[in-house]
Amino acid sequence: MLEELKEKVFKANLDLVKHNLVIFTWGNVSGIDREKGLVVIKPSGVSYDEMKASDMVVVDLATGKVVEGDLNPSSDTPTHLVLYRAFPEIGGIVHTHSTYATAWAQAGKDIPNIGTTHADYFHDAIPCTKDMTENQMGEYEKETGNVIVERFKGINYVHTPGVLVKNHGPLSWGTDPDNAVYNAVVMEEVAKMAFVSFMVNPDTTMNPLLVEKHFSRKHGPNAYYGQKK
Amino acid sequence: MLEELKEKVFKANLDLVKHNLVIFTWGNVSGIDREKGLVVIKPSGVSYDEMKASDMVVVDLATGKVVEGDLNPSSDTPTHLVLYRAFPEIGGIVHTHSTYATAWAQAGKDIPNIGTTHADYFHDAIPCTKDMTENQMGEYEKETGNVIVERFKGINYVHTPGVLVKNHGPLSWGTDPDNAVYNAVVMEEVAKMAFVSFMVNPDTTMNPLLVEKHFSRKHGPNAYYGQKK
Amino acid sequence: MLEELKEKVFKANLDLVKHNLVIFTWGNVSGIDREKGLVVIKPSGVSYDEMKASDMVVVDLATGKVVEGDLNPSSDTPTHLVLYRAFPEIGGIVHTHSTYATAWAQAGKDIPNIGTTHADYFHDAIPCTKDMTENQMGEYEKETGNVIVERFKGINYVHTPGVLVKNHGPLSWGTDPDNAVYNAVVMEEVAKMAFVSFMVNPDTTMNPLLVEKHFSRKHGPNAYYGQKK
Amino acid sequence: MLEELKEKVFKANLDLVKHNLVIFTWGNVSGIDREKGLVVIKPSGVSYDEMKASDMVVVDLATGKVVEGDLNPSSDTPTHLVLYRAFPEIGGIVHTHSTYATAWAQAGKDIPNIGTTHADYFHDAIPCTKDMTENQMGEYEKETGNVIVERFKGINYVHTPGVLVKNHGPLSWGTDPDNAVYNAVVMEEVAKMAFVSFMVNPDTTMNPLLVEKHFSRKHGPNAYYGQKK
């Protein structure tokens, strides 16, 4: 069942290790089959060394029930499901505790868009969610999804494919699991660069016109970066 | 004698190198056999390249005397023994000079609990010990153990399995040598993240309710992270 | 056509990966054949893993037209061409998004010359360009070249072979593609060192006489570093 | 001639690369045969990849003349010679541009002794030299040695085996080339730790009694670290 998607999700999880975004079991990637309404996700607490493609767990998008798999799905599965329901154009989701993005999340600050490395992939500041209320902590992982969706009111989730969950860490998404991993790598890199920039110059800013210019080099009808396909 | 524990302690010492927590001989791991009242520890000043499992030294918990082994035990052995006596539930201890945790120890500051990466493994701030008095320096390593035990008055050592020794460096512990190494890796990572968070936002804080929520995801009767065993 | 130069440009592009200056496709190297008036450059958006020497694109210096190659040249090609025209003594150009140099570029600050590591290769501060005007963003890559050339009025581009493009990242150049990569490595290293120096001492400065001394150890008629050739 | 010392100096130079203290040709190690009054040193500007033990250059301690070797000795040779003459107990010298130690040197600040990692190997703060006068720059490398010797008036060079040359970088020394490399690694690590400590707490200090205690664990008649020999 969904062997091809399982293989992609499995490989994308290993890529988190390759890109130094996770240690131990501190991350997870999922992918979705929109037609079938099924999500494939990493099992909970299984080490990357021992994981096999066949360990990936299949979960029903609508009900959150496990449809196939012997292992528990990632404890963050409810967060992924909320995002897949609210953001219909995304095909993959990544969560990590990568060092610099997590540090910004802990600090409770958006990562401002101050460079073209950021603007090439994220149109806006990478937003940080608000504090959860006590009530929301009952179903923590589901409510994590909800505070993200709320934070994106007025923000285009396709153009800014990532978020910082306050005091927790980053999530990113994309057209498929690979693209979501790519955006996780970018987020960690821009988080590190922005840290250094603000240390060097606390008043760092970027001309919004330059943001538009760079973002549109790679996105939209007038994109001209890369090879024609 | 204690061949299995020697193998575990040996392997855990090598894992310090693998996780980039030590250079040269700057770290040590021990493990305990509670029934026999014996501690197995790395020999002093032996390089990780040349060390063999059979070089591990067996020390009596009660007397501190070497029971087996041709080499001197780690000069930090008296610290380990004090902790094993005061903290009856721990099975392994690690000491390193890992960069960021040591930097916080030098700074004489607790590492505040400001994120779920921290709260998943350490319930409270990772505490930093007080200055030693001149008298305490006579038996420095033993007194290092004593100032740690004193610092944990009112802190649950099982829920917060690590400490910073002021102007020195971190110690961590766990259910066995492996788990103590795991906690040493976590401590170094949260030390680095917290450094960056406070640079980005000096007023960083975390809602205590979120600490409880995250800690209880992985600990206690309602834990739901990982696979059932 | 230009097989030897293609091989050099190809290899120099791979060296960016080896020196940890680029991830994904975030960098490009070009080289020039001054006699033929032709520039060889990396194709746009092609990953370093899959790239072959024969994928390098040949572009006419005067017209910017592709003379040979099936792939689109780097989208930064117009920047390279402006620099080759304005700086007749350079034989290779590198653009990266290396972490610390990019952070300084985002901060909009020149990297001051505060050490001999800098002075050995860059006589002056590594200058940061001004903000572009809205008009200049129409032909962004060409205008990037123009703001660089304008910034070097009064600066010797041979003695200070690199620049920070504001809110974007570094470019460096040299006698050939290899030498341009060398200067890119130096720029990233001095960017990191200068970040730390200014954190440790905001009032860091360097005696200009020491700059002259160190620069002339390696450059000019009285150079005495290295082996006679 | 001096084949054994050449081999040691050669290997110690390669260890600089292994310990990530140098890139390109940015470092050098020498060793001395005190009986013969000869110094063996790395050739100038030769890359570590291509270097052979037989490329090491033999220089006369008294005259500075090359006694054996086809290549120019390191341009820093006059600095090494001044130190060997002034510090009769040292057997090896290392110079690098390692990132954090160089950053402190650029900042013109001593690295304060704020932790046992430092105190285990360096009794005092690692001192930074004063600015050179214009006159001293004529024979820059020789005068570099002289400003170091001057800075050590009142400091025991055996107990504090390293220095920061202002706006330049670190030098360290030891009983032989290996020991000098060891001290260079320690210096880089304590430079990084101290940077982080002072960011976390600008008022970081260390009790001088703790310095004495730690230094004497590894040095002097009452040392008890490591194995008896």
Side-chain angles (χ1 to χ4, degrees):
Chain A
M1 186 180 195
L2 300 176
E3 301 309 318
E4 196 178 336
L5 185 56
K6 277 183 196 167
E7 192 61 48
K8 281 179 85 161
V9 170
F10 170 65
K11 196 191 144 300
N13 272 290
L14 296 187
D15 283 347
L16 296 184
V17 181
K18 192 180 110 186
H19 289 296
N20 295 312
L21 298 181
V22 301
I23 53 173
F24 300 127
T25 61
W26 300 3
N28 46 70
V29 184
S30 69
I32 191 166
D33 184 319
R34 291 273 175 196
E35 286 195 15
K36 298 203 174 77
L38 295 174
V39 170
V40 172
I41 193 163
K42 179 181 174 292
S44 181
V46 172
S47 105
Y48 293 96
D49 293 347
E50 301 165 6
M51 210 166 62
K52 303 183 299 292
S54 57
D55 291 335
M56 301 299 107
V57 184
V58 182
V59 176
D60 187 277
L61 175 65
T63 65
K65 297 243 167 80
V66 171
V67 174
E68 192 194 60
D70 299 328
L71 298 164
N72 291 343
S74 166
S75 59
D76 294 315
T77 302
T79 310
H80 290 238
L81 296 180
V82 170
L83 296 183
Y84 280 124
R85 288 180 207 132
F87 298 163
E89 293 184 46
I90 68 180
I93 297 175
V94 168
H95 170 52
T96 77
H97 289 233
S98 66
T99 310
Y100 288 89
T102 301
W104 280 87
Q106 292 184 160
K109 298 268 231 176
D110 303 351
I111 305 176
N113 190 346
I114 54 170
T116 62
T117 316
H118 185 127
D120 280 344
Y121 302 98
F122 294 85
H123 186 278
D124 292 4
I126 299 173
C128 185
T129 61
K130 288 195 208 158
D131 276 318
M132 280 192 189
T133 63
E134 186 170 352
N135 281 348
Q136 289 174 318
M137 287 185 205
E139 295 188 86
Y140 176 74
E141 290 80 8
K142 183 176 146 193
E143 295 297 343
T144 296
N146 288 338
V147 294
I148 293 171
V149 173
E150 191 185 322
R151 187 67 184 78
F152 271 76
K153 279 183 186 155
I155 303 176
N156 181 326
Y157 70 85
V158 174
H159 288 176
T160 301
V163 71
L164 303 173
V165 180
K166 187 156 189 284
N167 295 114
H168 185 157
L171 281 110
S172 61
W173 45 82
T175 50
D176 60 16
D178 261 6
N179 184 236
V181 170
Y182 193 106
N183 289 333
V185 175
V186 177
M187 208 194 306
E188 177 63 6
E189 185 64 22
V190 300
K192 185 174 183 182
M193 286 173 173
F195 158 65
V196 177
S197 293
F198 283 101
M199 291 294 104
V200 164
N201 180 6
D203 300 319
T204 293
T205 57
M206 185 179 186
N207 182 347
L209 292 167
L210 187 55
V211 174
E212 297 310 324
K213 177 63 198 173
H214 259 266
F215 190 79
S216 63
R217 273 172 43 134
K218 295 203 174 176
H219 300 84
N222 298 318
Y224 57 92
Y225 181 89
Q227 305 300 326
K228 260 118 211 155
K229 282 163 189 173
Chain B
M1 186 178 195
L2 300 175
E3 300 309 318
E4 196 177 336
L5 185 56
K6 278 183 195 167
E7 192 63 47
K8 281 179 86 161
V9 169
F10 170 64
K11 197 191 144 299
N13 272 290
L14 295 187
D15 283 348
L16 296 183
V17 180
K18 191 180 111 186
H19 288 296
N20 295 312
L21 297 181
V22 302
I23 52 174
F24 300 127
T25 61
W26 299 3
N28 46 69
V29 184
S30 69
I32 191 166
D33 184 319
R34 290 274 175 196
E35 286 194 17
K36 299 202 174 75
L38 296 175
V39 170
V40 172
I41 193 162
K42 178 180 174 294
S44 180
V46 173
S47 105
Y48 294 95
D49 293 348
E50 300 165 7
M51 210 166 61
K52 303 183 298 293
S54 57
D55 291 335
M56 301 300 107
V57 183
V58 183
V59 175
D60 186 277
L61 175 63
T63 65
K65 298 240 165 83
V66 172
V67 174
E68 193 194 61
D70 299 328
L71 297 165
N72 292 341
S74 165
S75 59
D76 295 314
T77 302
T79 311
H80 290 238
L81 297 180
V82 170
L83 296 183
Y84 281 124
R85 288 180 207 134
F87 298 164
E89 293 185 44
I90 68 180
I93 297 174
V94 168
H95 170 52
T96 77
H97 290 234
S98 66
T99 311
Y100 288 88
T102 300
W104 280 87
Q106 292 184 160
K109 299 266 231 177
D110 303 351
I111 305 176
N113 190 345
I114 55 171
T116 63
T117 316
H118 184 127
D120 280 345
Y121 302 97
F122 295 85
H123 186 280
D124 293 4
I126 299 173
C128 185
T129 62
K130 289 195 209 158
D131 277 318
M132 279 192 192
T133 63
E134 187 170 352
N135 281 348
Q136 290 174 316
M137 286 186 206
E139 295 188 86
Y140 176 74
E141 290 80 8
K142 183 177 144 193
E143 295 297 342
T144 296
N146 288 339
V147 294
I148 294 170
V149 173
E150 190 186 323
R151 186 68 183 79
F152 270 76
K153 279 183 187 155
I155 303 175
N156 182 326
Y157 70 84
V158 174
H159 289 176
T160 300
V163 70
L164 303 173
V165 180
K166 187 156 189 283
N167 295 114
H168 185 157
L171 280 110
S172 61
W173 45 82
T175 51
D176 61 15
D178 261 6
N179 184 236
V181 170
Y182 192 106
N183 290 332
V185 175
V186 176
M187 207 193 306
E188 177 64 6
E189 185 63 23
V190 300
K192 184 173 183 183
M193 286 173 174
F195 157 63
V196 177
S197 293
F198 282 101
M199 292 294 103
V200 163
N201 180 6
D203 300 320
T204 294
T205 56
M206 185 179 188
N207 182 345
L209 292 168
L210 187 54
V211 174
E212 298 309 323
K213 177 63 200 173
H214 258 267
F215 189 79
S216 63
R217 272 171 47 136
K218 295 203 173 175
H219 300 83
N222 299 316
Y224 56 90
Y225 181 89
Q227 306 298 326
K228 260 118 212 156
K229 281 162 189 174
Chain C
M1 186 177 196
L2 299 176
E3 300 310 318
E4 196 178 337
L5 184 56
K6 278 183 194 166
E7 192 62 47
K8 280 179 86 162
V9 169
F10 170 65
K11 197 191 144 298
N13 272 288
L14 296 187
D15 282 347
L16 296 184
V17 180
K18 192 180 110 187
H19 289 296
N20 295 312
L21 298 181
V22 302
I23 52 174
F24 300 128
T25 61
W26 300 3
N28 46 69
V29 184
S30 68
I32 191 166
D33 184 318
R34 290 271 174 197
E35 284 193 18
K36 299 202 173 76
L38 295 174
V39 170
V40 172
I41 193 163
K42 179 181 173 293
S44 181
V46 172
S47 104
Y48 294 94
D49 293 347
E50 300 166 6
M51 209 165 63
K52 302 183 299 292
S54 58
D55 291 335
M56 301 300 107
V57 185
V58 183
V59 175
D60 187 277
L61 175 65
T63 65
K65 297 241 167 80
V66 171
V67 174
E68 192 193 61
D70 299 328
L71 297 164
N72 292 342
S74 165
S75 59
D76 294 315
T77 302
T79 310
H80 290 237
L81 296 180
V82 170
L83 296 183
Y84 281 124
R85 288 179 207 133
F87 298 162
E89 293 185 46
I90 69 180
I93 297 174
V94 168
H95 171 52
T96 77
H97 289 233
S98 66
T99 311
Y100 288 87
T102 301
W104 280 87
Q106 291 184 161
K109 298 266 230 178
D110 303 351
I111 305 176
N113 190 345
I114 55 170
T116 62
T117 316
H118 184 126
D120 280 344
Y121 302 97
F122 295 85
H123 186 279
D124 293 4
I126 299 173
C128 185
T129 62
K130 289 195 209 158
D131 277 319
M132 279 192 191
T133 63
E134 187 170 352
N135 281 348
Q136 289 174 317
M137 287 186 206
E139 295 187 87
Y140 176 73
E141 291 80 8
K142 182 176 144 193
E143 295 296 343
T144 295
N146 288 338
V147 294
I148 293 170
V149 173
E150 191 186 322
R151 187 67 183 80
F152 270 77
K153 278 183 186 153
I155 303 175
N156 181 326
Y157 71 84
V158 174
H159 288 176
T160 301
V163 71
L164 303 172
V165 179
K166 187 156 188 285
N167 295 114
H168 184 156
L171 280 110
S172 61
W173 46 81
T175 50
D176 61 16
D178 261 6
N179 184 237
V181 170
Y182 192 106
N183 289 333
V185 174
V186 177
M187 209 194 306
E188 177 64 5
E189 186 63 23
V190 299
K192 184 172 183 184
M193 285 173 175
F195 157 64
V196 176
S197 293
F198 282 102
M199 291 295 103
V200 164
N201 180 6
D203 300 320
T204 294
T205 56
M206 186 179 187
N207 182 346
L209 291 169
L210 187 56
V211 174
E212 298 309 323
K213 176 64 198 172
H214 259 267
F215 189 79
S216 63
R217 273 172 44 136
K218 295 203 175 176
H219 300 84
N222 298 317
Y224 57 91
Y225 181 89
Q227 306 299 325
K228 261 116 210 158
K229 281 163 189 170
Chain D
M1 187 179 195
L2 300 176
E3 300 309 318
E4 196 177 336
L5 184 57
K6 278 183 194 166
E7 192 62 47
K8 282 180 85 163
V9 169
F10 170 64
K11 197 192 145 297
N13 273 289
L14 295 187
D15 282 348
L16 297 183
V17 180
K18 192 180 110 187
H19 289 296
N20 295 313
L21 298 181
V22 302
I23 53 174
F24 300 128
T25 61
W26 300 3
N28 45 70
V29 184
S30 68
I32 191 166
D33 184 319
R34 290 272 174 197
E35 286 194 18
K36 298 203 173 77
L38 295 174
V39 170
V40 172
I41 193 163
K42 179 180 172 294
S44 181
V46 172
S47 104
Y48 294 95
D49 293 348
E50 301 165 6
M51 209 166 62
K52 302 183 299 293
S54 58
D55 291 336
M56 301 300 107
V57 184
V58 182
V59 175
D60 187 276
L61 175 64
T63 65
K65 298 240 165 81
V66 171
V67 174
E68 192 194 61
D70 299 329
L71 298 164
N72 291 342
S74 166
S75 59
D76 295 315
T77 302
T79 311
H80 290 238
L81 296 181
V82 170
L83 296 183
Y84 281 124
R85 287 179 207 133
F87 298 163
E89 294 185 44
I90 69 180
I93 297 175
V94 168
H95 170 51
T96 78
H97 291 233
S98 66
T99 310
Y100 289 88
T102 301
W104 280 87
Q106 292 184 161
K109 299 267 231 176
D110 303 350
I111 306 177
N113 189 346
I114 55 170
T116 63
T117 317
H118 185 127
D120 280 344
Y121 302 97
F122 294 85
H123 186 280
D124 292 4
I126 299 174
C128 186
T129 61
K130 290 195 209 158
D131 277 318
M132 279 190 192
T133 62
E134 188 170 351
N135 281 348
Q136 290 174 317
M137 287 185 205
E139 294 187 87
Y140 177 73
E141 292 80 8
K142 183 176 144 195
E143 295 298 343
T144 296
N146 288 338
V147 294
I148 293 171
V149 173
E150 190 186 323
R151 186 68 182 79
F152 270 75
K153 278 182 187 157
I155 304 175
N156 181 326
Y157 70 84
V158 174
H159 288 175
T160 300
V163 71
L164 303 172
V165 179
K166 188 156 187 283
N167 295 114
H168 184 156
L171 280 111
S172 61
W173 45 83
T175 50
D176 60 16
D178 263 5
N179 184 237
V181 170
Y182 193 106
N183 289 332
V185 175
V186 176
M187 208 194 306
E188 177 64 5
E189 185 64 21
V190 300
K192 184 173 183 184
M193 286 173 174
F195 158 64
V196 177
S197 293
F198 282 101
M199 290 295 103
V200 164
N201 180 6
D203 300 320
T204 294
T205 55
M206 185 179 187
N207 182 344
L209 292 168
L210 188 54
V211 174
E212 298 309 322
K213 176 64 199 172
H214 259 267
F215 190 78
S216 63
R217 272 172 47 137
K218 295 204 175 176
H219 299 83
N222 298 316
Y224 56 91
Y225 182 88
Q227 306 299 325
K228 259 116 211 157
K229 281 163 190 172

